Amino acid sequence: MAVTAMMSIQLSSALSVGLIEEAGAGGTAWLRLSTGALLLVLVARPPLRSIRAEDVVPLLGLGATTGLMTVAFLSAIDRIPLGTAVAIEFLGPLTVAAVRSGSLRMLVWPVLALAGVVLLTEPWQGGADVVGIGFAVSAGAGWGVYILLTQKVGDRFSGISALSLTVPVAAVVTAVVGVPQAAGHLDGRVLLVAAGLALLAPVLPFGLEMLALRRMTPTAFGTLMALEPAFGVLLGLIVLHQSPSVVQAAGIALVVLAGAGAQRRSTRVIGADVPA
């Protein structure tokens, strides 16, 4: 179930590339989050009466972070290979896990992952897309903040009910850039594609992750989730025909190794409940 969840997330990202060409990265993010919000509200009624005054800022912050992170990531995969974007983005939660472990030795894992990212981007070739890398770094920073806020919100609301509150906020935030980009491209086919992408992420993988976590320890689950960059490369190869070189494959291996190693002392699951 955990592997299926990761495949679903990366498949949604890979298939989003086609929609990005029509509606732009912002437009695609807005369409995905809007349809996802609708699906989540239908599946789980938002617990509006349970919201306290002190919950408002974390909920709004998590929703805004979700929206900005989604726009940044989709902007990244519009310019650089999917596997590379996922690996760079993965630096965010990896760094959070290392810093929160309280051990200086744990910082070796983000450094190892960074070395893998250097192999992936091959800056010595002179063809690295700096803007695309910048978007991926921004998405990674957003992912790190997302995890911190998710843990705070998760102490007050159960998983899917929290999403039914924050994803609509994310949709509103992305509307600022998404509506102008998507305007003129909205028809039945585009809306149907957006609904399918939203079902692939976050609706389906979130449910699968919750079921998987009932049967696995958090450390085992987090270690398995470290394979996410590798799945990004695999789906990029199958769907987008993005073939990594031998050097880039070695870079992905370093990122996966770093992600698995970081679970040794992490107190929370890396990447759990992530909607990207």
Side-chain angles (χ1 to χ4, degrees):
M1 287 185 288
V3 169
T4 302
M6 287 186 285
M7 293 291 284
S8 180
I9 290 171
Q10 297 309 320
L11 180 60
S12 178
S13 296
L15 295 178
S16 291
V17 172
L19 189 57
I20 290 172
E21 294 176 356
E22 293 188 51
T28 300
W30 173 66
L31 287 169
R32 273 180 50 176
L33 290 169
S34 297
T35 51
L38 180 60
L39 290 172
L40 287 166
V41 169
L42 291 175
V43 171
R45 183 178 299 177
L48 298 177
R49 294 182 179 180
S50 300
I51 298 176
R52 301 179 305 195
E54 57 267 31
D55 299 326
V56 174
V57 172
L59 285 170
L60 292 177
L62 182 55
T65 299
T66 300
L68 295 174
M69 178 178 64
T70 304
V71 172
F73 181 75
L74 293 180
S75 297
I77 64 174
D78 187 36
R79 305 180 68 98
I80 61 178
L82 175 61
T84 301
V86 176
I88 295 174
E89 186 190 34
F90 198 65
L91 290 174
L94 190 58
T95 302
V96 169
V99 171
R100 297 194 71 182
S101 69
S103 172
L104 290 176
R105 287 183 297 177
M106 289 292 288
L107 294 177
V108 69
W109 301 118
V111 173
L112 183 63
L114 181 60
V117 167
V118 171
L119 293 180
L120 269 169
T121 54
E122 298 182 322
W124 54 85
Q125 297 285 2
D129 191 317
V130 178
V131 176
I133 292 173
F135 278 128
V137 170
S138 299
W143 194 353
V145 174
Y146 175 90
I147 288 176
L148 296 176
L149 290 174
T150 295
Q151 292 168 4
K152 186 174 181 63
V153 171
D155 292 336
R156 283 279 298 121
F157 303 94
S158 63
I160 198 164
S161 66
L163 281 179
S164 69
L165 292 170
T166 59
V167 174
V169 175
V172 172
V173 170
T174 56
V176 177
V177 294
V179 172
Q181 289 186 15
H185 302 282
L186 298 180
D187 54 34
R189 182 187 61 81
V190 168
L191 293 176
L192 185 61
V193 169
L197 293 174
L199 185 62
L200 286 172
V203 180
L204 177 61
F206 184 81
L208 291 173
E209 285 176 359
M210 286 196 299
L211 292 173
L213 276 167
R214 292 177 182 175
R215 295 165 173 81
M216 301 175 68
T217 65
T219 299
F221 181 84
T223 302
L224 189 60
M225 292 296 287
L227 291 171
E228 190 111 29
F231 283 116
V233 171
L234 178 62
L235 268 298
L237 175 63
I238 295 174
V239 179
L240 303 174
H241 309 293
Q242 298 170 341
S243 302
S245 65
V246 174
V247 173
Q248 290 174 321
I252 283 291
L254 288 180
V255 174
V256 171
L257 177 62
Q263 286 301 306
R264 294 174 60 190
R265 292 190 182 181
S266 72
T267 57
R268 298 278 189 137
V269 179
I270 288 182
D273 305 345
V274 172

